[in-house]
Amino acid sequence: MRVNKSGWIKLYRQLLLSDLWQDKPFARGQAWVDLLLLYDKNANRLQISQRELSRRWGWSLTKVRNFLAELQEHQDLELMQEQKKTTLLLAKYRFFQEIAYTKKSLASAVNWQKPEALKNKQEKEKNSALISNQALLDFWEKQR
């Protein structure tokens, strides 16, 4: 089976009410999408206890903690833990939810992960553009 790796689909939050969705235990990918569906786009965060995630997903607390730590390690989210709740900031939420993503939104998502590499790439592109612009000006100057 070929998998289309480009583009995106819309998922409505009503999916959360589906019996198919609520079947436990959740798969890891299902848990990741669950976080995206629960995320408060206006507040740009999700506040929920790890115990609640454990109940939602049908997982042990240890498995929830390990999963969240893995997502944080991969820079997919940032965790801020308080006494009875965890605040999750999803790194690329707005990028995933753009109706028509542009170079700017793509750059901001990449920039969150690899700021130094992106700056170096942009600098090289800028220098390359300056060189090609100068070559074009030289060419037209010779044509006169």
Side-chain angles (χ1 to χ4, degrees):
M1 177 174 97
R2 284 187 36 168
V3 177
N4 185 354
K5 296 180 182 178
S6 64
W8 53 276
I9 64 167
K10 289 183 181 182
L11 284 177
Y12 290 97
R13 286 188 165 90
Q14 289 180 341
L15 176 67
L16 295 169
L17 305 175
S18 163
D19 290 338
L20 288 172
W21 188 260
Q22 294 177 7
D23 192 32
K24 293 176 180 69
F26 275 29
R28 291 163 43 84
Q30 186 180 2
W32 172 237
V33 173
D34 197 50
L35 291 175
L36 291 170
L37 290 170
L38 293 171
Y39 202 72
D40 182 346
K41 67 178 183 176
N42 296 322
N44 197 30
R45 69 187 61 225
L46 169 61
Q47 289 188 321
I48 193 166
S49 73
Q50 292 179 8
R51 191 170 309 280
E52 176 62 23
L53 291 175
S54 173
R55 279 192 292 271
R56 285 184 64 78
W57 299 343
W59 292 2
S60 69
L61 266 173
T62 301
K63 186 171 180 177
V64 169
R65 288 183 182 125
N66 289 340
F67 180 67
L68 294 176
E70 181 183 345
L71 291 174
Q72 186 169 20
E73 184 178 311
H74 288 117
Q75 298 181 334
D76 290 323
L77 62 78
E78 184 179 333
L79 292 173
M80 294 184 293
Q81 296 187 22
E82 298 171 28
Q83 190 174 12
K84 293 190 177 195
K85 65 183 171 196
T86 300
T87 300
L88 306 171
L89 303 174
L90 299 180
K92 302 174 190 172
Y93 181 81
R94 285 202 173 111
F95 172 70
F96 287 137
Q97 297 306 311
E98 291 285 330
I99 291 173
Y101 59 86
T102 62
K103 280 186 176 180
K104 183 178 178 183
S105 65
L106 178 60
S108 67
V110 172
N111 192 24
W112 194 88
Q113 250 185 341
K114 303 173 187 172
E116 200 56 42
L118 182 63
K119 287 178 189 175
N120 292 341
K121 182 180 178 189
Q122 288 173 338
E123 192 62 35
K124 284 180 185 176
E125 288 173 355
K126 181 180 172 184
N127 291 338
S128 175
L130 290 174
I131 292 167
S132 62
N133 286 343
Q134 187 59 48
L136 184 62
L137 289 173
D138 291 344
F139 170 78
W140 285 112
E141 194 62 37
K142 289 178 185 175
Q143 300 303 314
R144 288 185 179 181

